[in-house]
Amino acid sequence: MAPQDGADGEESMISTINTTPLVDVMLVLLIIFLITVPVVTASIKLELPKERNQPTQTKPENVVLAVARDGGIFWGLEPLDIDALQARLRVVAAKDEQPEIHIRGDMAARYESVGRVVAACQKVGIRKIGFITEPPASGGR
């Protein structure tokens, strides 16, 4: 008896493509598309601020605090510890019109050191705290 087509695995080949993995991939892509489209299209209309580069106007009544590389705190040029800083900040916070507190932190200073100064300002009720940085180098781009 002669072997029939399909009875012997070596003589016959399946010529159809298995589309199950393709359907699975398409369903996953469809689900991802359905989830991400509402997120992309649903956004709140905002008018974002325009970039402006103007130097900070340092008024005489503003307080400039510096945090050195080693974590030392300076009020102007006078070194202070955290307790003395809080005592001085309480006096400033009690004024009717609070001055702004400008913090100059050394780039190599630990974040913890600058954070202690910010926490001290918040603890005594200072409302305006700013950070002073170097302006970007011109001609870079």
Side-chain angles (χ1 to χ4, degrees):
M1 204 178 216
Q4 295 177 353
D5 288 341
D8 188 0
E10 294 179 21
E11 293 183 17
S12 68
M13 270 191 158
I14 299 175
S15 61
T16 60
I17 298 174
N18 186 4
T19 59
T20 304
L22 179 64
V23 171
D24 289 344
V25 169
M26 292 305 292
L27 286 174
V28 169
L29 289 175
L30 178 66
I31 291 170
I32 291 172
F33 181 73
L34 290 175
I35 291 172
T36 57
V37 166
V39 173
V40 173
T41 58
S43 64
I44 299 171
K45 293 282 184 184
L46 296 175
E47 186 174 333
L48 297 176
K50 304 295 182 216
E51 178 186 357
R52 58 184 171 173
N53 189 10
Q54 61 184 5
T56 304
Q57 300 297 325
T58 304
K59 300 173 187 167
E61 63 268 10
N62 289 347
V63 176
V64 178
L65 301 176
V67 179
R69 180 177 300 219
D70 62 355
I73 303 168
F74 295 87
W75 184 296
L77 298 175
E78 182 183 346
L80 298 172
D81 63 351
I82 196 72
D83 295 326
L85 174 67
Q86 283 185 350
R88 281 200 178 180
L89 288 174
R90 277 191 192 92
V91 173
V92 170
K95 293 182 179 179
D96 290 335
E97 189 174 327
Q98 282 187 1
E100 294 179 18
I101 304 296
H102 295 172
I103 300 173
R104 297 176 58 233
D106 191 288
M107 190 165 71
R110 292 178 49 102
Y111 177 77
E112 172 188 356
S113 302
V114 177
R116 279 195 315 239
V117 173
V118 173
C121 291
Q122 290 176 337
K123 188 175 181 180
V124 298
I126 299 292
R127 291 186 294 269
K128 289 188 176 183
I129 302 171
F131 294 95
I132 298 177
T133 61
E134 290 290 326
S138 61
R141 287 187 193 178

